[in-house]
Amino acid sequence: MVSSDVEQAEIAAEQAYVDTVHERLEASAQVARSLVTEGMSRGTIGNEGALVERDAMVFQATRRLTALNAAHDGLVFGRLTMIDGDSRYIGRIGVRDAEREILLVDWRAPAASLFYRATAQEPVGVVRRRVLRCRGTQVIGVEDDLLDADHAPEGLAVIGEGALLASLSRARDETMHSVVATIQKEQDEAIRAPIRGVTTIGGGPGTGKTVVALHRAAFLLYSDRRRFESGGVLVLGPSGVFMDYIERVLPSLGETSVTLRSVGALVDGVRSGHHDEPVAATAKGSARMIKLMSRAATSGPPGAPTRFRYFYNDDVLELDEAALERLRRQLLSGGTRNRVYSRVPSAVASALWSQAAGERALEKGEEAFADRLGSDDRFVDFVEQWWPIVDAVEVWRQLPQVLERFGGGFSAEEKAALVASWASGEVSIEDVPLIDELRYLIGEAPTDDDERDDDPKQLMSFERREREDRDGRQRSSTSIDDDGYAHVLVDEAQDLSPMQWRMVGRRGRWASWTIVGDPAQSSWPYPAEAASARTAALEGKPEHVFRLSTNYRNSAEIYDLAARVAHHAIPGADLADAVRRSGSEPEHHVVAAEQVTTTVIDEVEAMLGVVDGSIAVVTPRSHRGAVVDALAGVDQRVRVLDGLDTKGLEFDAVVVVEPDTIVAESEAGWRTLYVVLTRATQRLSTIGATDRWRQALEPVT
């Protein structure tokens, strides 16, 4: 064992180097700040060229300053001692000294790959790998791995229990942190996978899929910054809770130009954080919705006129319901509902003119007829009511009527659940892809440049009357031009429904992809249908598949229980190997129904006394409100969540309330319970009035 004096001497030596790097970083930041100041001053010259030059200088300098500021925490985290005696320091960004010599290698650079690739079996020229643990700019500890003892120089210090195992025992807080210092070889291979095509990262709970995918996003930006910054990188997660949890990872790696969205906030102008009840959620996610959305996009609005009669000279011109329907189909054959809007007045006018037969009408001609129509409020009112410009959210609000008229393919139970879910007028997470589908089906509103040159002049200037946004409710963005990205990262991909895959697929038609998931944790009950939609979204792109095999999150005691759940209910579950034991077995409390809440409070208080980090109380959806009230003000480290909201998160301790009710809530209830049990790193307990779920488990042989 290394003496304390030797360890302190090693820390002091590393501190001296870290101080040098930080001094150089501060010098670089000062240069960036001076460039911002200089750039702003150029705007006073007073010509357009100076303003462009100013904006470019300020933008680039500000971006560099942001990256430098973000890198301060844990700037230097690694050191390689090579077989030739040289040292190579690894950090969050690259830093050079005043003579342009390398002080710090960016972790994404090829020269840093040895930090992750080297093992005791294949040291690839590395004698010792050292991880520096820092708090701010201070080195507080080092952890070493001796990889090539045969080539270690005499007196080489090897300190600590190994960086990975040391990091696993540390307390969690409310956000995910970068693991850039402890990335393992199989994780690094996924991070540095080929840029093009689809990189799929699979594996059981706790294998680091999410954080590896986020580090891959940072690696891509480093490898081809022009492409991915200009085209955009989208990181998509299952919930707002999850996005809050991961939001600090990429900035801590110096990357701030990534778009983070939850599935419920992917469409601009629309946001939701709540799920539908299972029957409605499954119906909305099904591919059967495609046909219903098409009907909604092409049907007239509720209350639209079904007849138009016009008197012109001696003629009575009339378009009845059948004629209007034929005219609607004719218009839609030429484009989407909003895009053909500018053609509607002339199309209606032509259909009316075709009925004109009197001599006076024919003498004056169609142009005179168009003049008269264009100035007649009755005609303007009719067109506005029959074919208004619509927003996708407006059409979504009409879905109950559309379902009543064209609801084939849905059972009576599903129809009732859908109507009930839409009755509130609140957009759910499952409604967002329906709104997105409608955005594409109805199209963008036309501009003046889109109007046809051969339309009569009077009808070309036909303007719809302004409509008030009466209730201030959500309205989707009508533009679809900015939906695409250069790279799309989807986490918890196993949960995406077919309609959600269609929505995400539109963002990545020309993109490379990173897809993270574990089928055993899926909350979508029909995987074959989702797999078909996934294939369509990826459009035959080449795929690189990586499987992470080691569970770093859960203690073996906790994961043994979760694995029994998986064996019972999830055929072919991908079960990882848990690498550590804590000595604490999961606890189970079966109490009278009226004692459940009191027992939860007691258990949370006990957990607060034995763990230093975060605690989750996971409840069935129907119990969440009561548990939130019972635990109000207990401790800020405690969070109350339902099963779906725990996706991708981890906590030092987890208390599961009424596991049997969680299982019974949906067709994917057993999978949800598996997810919930695998959120805990140190302590796990369950509390319920029944214990059927545990009685159903078969011992693992």
Side-chain angles (χ1 to χ4, degrees):
M1 182 173 180
V2 176
S3 71
S4 176
D5 289 344
V6 172
E7 182 175 2
Q8 290 306 312
E10 291 292 310
I11 290 175
E14 300 297 4
Q15 183 68 62
Y17 195 90
V18 169
D19 288 344
T20 299
V21 176
H22 274 281
E23 288 169 6
R24 186 58 193 164
L25 185 75
E26 178 55 33
S28 297
Q30 183 57 45
V31 170
R33 284 191 287 268
S34 66
L35 287 174
V36 172
T37 302
E38 180 185 348
M40 294 303 294
S41 68
R42 296 193 180 195
T44 63
I45 297 174
N47 62 72
E48 185 175 343
L51 292 174
V52 172
E53 184 178 354
R54 178 202 67 183
D55 290 346
M57 178 181 290
V58 171
F59 172 77
Q60 294 296 336
T62 302
R63 186 174 69 175
R64 177 61 175 164
L65 187 59
T66 300
L68 294 173
N69 290 337
H72 268 279
D73 189 18
L75 172 63
V76 186
F77 62 77
R79 176 185 177 184
L80 295 176
T81 301
M82 309 302 294
I83 198 171
D84 59 7
D86 287 344
S87 285
R88 186 180 300 175
Y89 281 86
I90 314 299
R92 294 180 183 274
I93 62 173
V95 178
R96 294 175 181 266
D97 64 17
E99 285 70 44
R100 304 296 295 163
E101 295 295 324
I102 295 175
L103 287 175
L104 191 65
V105 179
D106 190 301
W107 70 274
R108 295 163 288 191
S113 65
L114 295 181
F115 189 79
Y116 306 107
R117 287 171 42 209
T119 65
Q121 292 74 35
E122 296 182 49
V124 291
V126 179
V127 175
R128 182 187 66 186
R129 174 174 50 219
R130 167 168 288 179
V131 171
L132 284 66
R133 290 192 290 112
C134 297
R135 183 177 295 124
T137 61
Q138 296 299 308
V139 180
I140 61 173
V142 296
E143 302 284 347
D144 292 333
D145 293 308
L146 182 62
L147 303 180
D148 191 349
D150 293 340
H151 293 91
E154 187 175 348
L156 181 71
V158 179
I159 297 170
E161 60 178 325
L164 175 62
L165 290 177
S167 71
L168 295 179
S169 63
R170 296 190 187 109
R172 271 62 178 173
D173 57 25
E174 293 186 350
T175 58
M176 176 181 282
H177 296 275
S178 163
V179 297
V180 67
T182 56
I183 290 169
Q184 301 300 291
K185 183 178 179 181
E186 69 173 3
Q187 296 174 327
D188 186 61
E189 290 172 350
I191 289 170
R192 298 174 192 268
I195 289 178
R196 299 192 179 277
V198 180
T199 295
T200 300
I201 303 174
T207 53
K209 298 184 297 296
T210 295
V211 76
V212 166
L214 293 172
H215 283 69
R216 173 164 173 75
F219 172 76
L220 293 175
L221 284 160
Y222 175 86
S223 302
D224 193 345
R225 187 164 300 278
R226 177 176 296 182
R227 173 186 176 189
F228 290 111
E229 276 199 344
S230 61
V233 174
L234 170 68
V235 176
L236 183 72
S239 68
V241 175
F242 176 82
M243 304 316 291
D244 291 342
Y245 180 61
I246 69 170
E247 66 179 355
R248 284 176 50 184
V249 174
L250 284 165
S252 75
L253 297 171
E255 300 298 347
T256 57
S257 57
V258 175
T259 300
L260 274 66
R261 296 283 182 93
S262 66
V263 174
L266 186 55
V267 176
D268 287 338
V270 177
R271 183 177 294 272
S272 177
H274 75 275
H275 289 279
D276 283 307
E277 294 300 321
V279 174
T282 302
K284 289 180 182 181
S286 168
R288 291 172 293 163
M289 272 287 163
I290 299 172
K291 186 174 181 179
L292 190 69
M293 295 305 101
S294 178
R295 290 283 196 177
T298 56
S299 299
T306 58
R307 181 182 303 272
F308 182 66
R309 177 178 291 184
Y310 195 75
F311 297 94
Y312 185 64
N313 294 335
D314 297 328
D315 295 320
V316 179
L317 313 179
E318 183 175 1
L319 298 175
D320 60 16
E321 186 172 5
L324 288 173
E325 186 57 33
R326 286 194 300 272
L327 188 56
R328 178 177 295 279
R329 289 196 298 269
Q330 175 189 328
L331 284 162
L332 290 172
S333 68
T336 59
R337 179 166 164 179
N338 280 342
R339 295 300 293 174
V340 302
Y341 168 80
S342 60
R343 306 176 197 168
V344 173
S346 60
V348 175
S350 294
L352 291 168
W353 174 252
S354 66
Q355 300 178 23
E359 282 188 21
R360 290 175 59 198
L362 294 177
E363 281 180 11
K364 292 184 177 180
E366 187 172 356
E367 185 173 349
F369 179 65
D371 283 343
R372 179 166 167 178
L373 277 180
S375 60
D376 193 319
D377 281 348
R378 290 176 300 159
F379 177 74
V380 172
D381 288 341
F382 167 76
V383 173
E384 270 300 313
Q385 295 167 24
W386 184 63
W387 201 291
I389 288 284
V390 290
D391 172 81
V393 177
E394 290 180 76
V395 180
W396 169 80
R397 296 190 191 285
Q398 300 163 11
L399 289 180
Q401 297 96 311
V402 178
L403 180 68
E404 184 179 356
R405 293 175 61 195
F406 309 108
F410 295 97
S411 68
E413 181 187 18
E414 288 174 321
K415 289 180 180 178
L418 288 170
V419 171
S421 74
W422 288 324
S424 69
E426 293 185 13
V427 176
S428 70
I429 291 172
E430 288 76 20
D431 283 314
V432 174
L434 307 187
I435 292 171
D436 193 59
E437 189 85 13
L438 290 169
R439 288 175 66 233
Y440 281 78
L441 289 172
I442 65 176
E444 297 181 40
T447 64
D448 291 342
D449 293 338
D450 295 323
E451 294 180 338
R452 288 168 39 178
D453 292 338
D454 57 351
D455 279 342
K457 182 178 180 181
Q458 292 80 0
L459 298 180
M460 285 178 65
S461 61
F462 177 86
E463 297 180 357
R464 67 188 179 95
R465 296 173 179 175
E466 291 300 322
R467 291 168 294 135
E468 296 179 359
D469 190 6
R470 289 176 292 275
D471 52 13
R473 292 182 289 186
Q474 300 188 85
R475 299 178 69 82
S476 70
S477 163
T478 56
S479 174
I480 59 178
D481 291 339
D482 298 328
D483 281 350
Y485 289 86
H487 188 81
V488 175
L489 189 163
V490 183
D491 204 350
E492 303 294 345
Q494 75 280 345
D495 290 342
L496 293 187
S497 70
M499 294 303 293
Q500 288 170 338
W501 271 117
R502 288 173 65 85
M503 175 175 66
V504 180
R506 296 183 187 106
R507 274 76 185 164
R509 285 196 177 97
W510 316 113
S512 56
W513 290 65
T514 299
I515 297 178
V516 181
D518 175 17
Q521 299 181 61
S522 174
S523 61
W524 176 253
Y526 304 110
E529 186 185 19
S532 177
R534 176 188 187 275
T535 299
L538 300 180
E539 299 179 355
K541 292 178 169 66
E543 190 166 359
H544 316 285
V545 179
F546 296 86
R547 176 185 178 267
L548 306 183
S549 60
T550 303
N551 180 342
Y552 301 106
R553 176 195 301 144
N554 307 125
S555 67
E557 294 90 343
I558 291 171
Y559 195 60
D560 286 347
L561 173 65
R564 290 174 61 197
V565 170
H567 276 293
H568 170 73
I570 309 167
D574 187 349
L575 302 179
D577 299 318
V579 297
R580 63 184 176 87
R581 303 194 75 85
S582 67
S584 298
E585 294 287 341
E587 297 182 359
H588 307 284
H589 306 274
V590 182
V591 299
E594 61 272 15
Q595 296 177 336
V596 168
T597 301
T598 302
T599 307
V600 169
I601 296 171
D602 292 342
E603 188 66 11
V604 168
E605 294 286 359
M607 292 287 196
L608 286 167
V610 295
V611 299
D612 295 326
S614 58
I615 298 172
V617 179
V618 186
T619 77
R621 295 176 65 182
S622 56
H623 291 54
R624 182 172 177 177
V627 175
V628 168
D629 292 341
L631 294 174
V634 169
D635 191 287
Q636 63 180 7
R637 289 190 287 145
V638 180
R639 302 185 69 180
V640 181
L641 303 167
D642 63 40
L644 291 181
D645 279 344
T646 67
K647 292 276 186 170
L649 310 183
E650 60 182 39
F651 305 89
D652 288 293
V654 172
V655 178
V656 186
V657 182
E658 296 288 12
D660 280 325
T661 306
I662 291 174
V663 168
E665 276 189 321
S666 72
E667 293 185 61
W670 277 103
R671 295 175 187 269
T672 302
L673 180 61
Y674 176 56
V675 171
V676 169
L677 296 176
T678 57
R679 301 306 97 187
T681 67
Q682 298 180 35
R683 299 294 183 107
L684 173 68
S685 68
T686 66
I687 300 170
T690 58
D691 202 23
R692 293 186 300 272
W693 71 278
R694 205 154 58 96
Q695 297 171 23
L697 303 182
E698 296 292 335
V700 178
T701 58

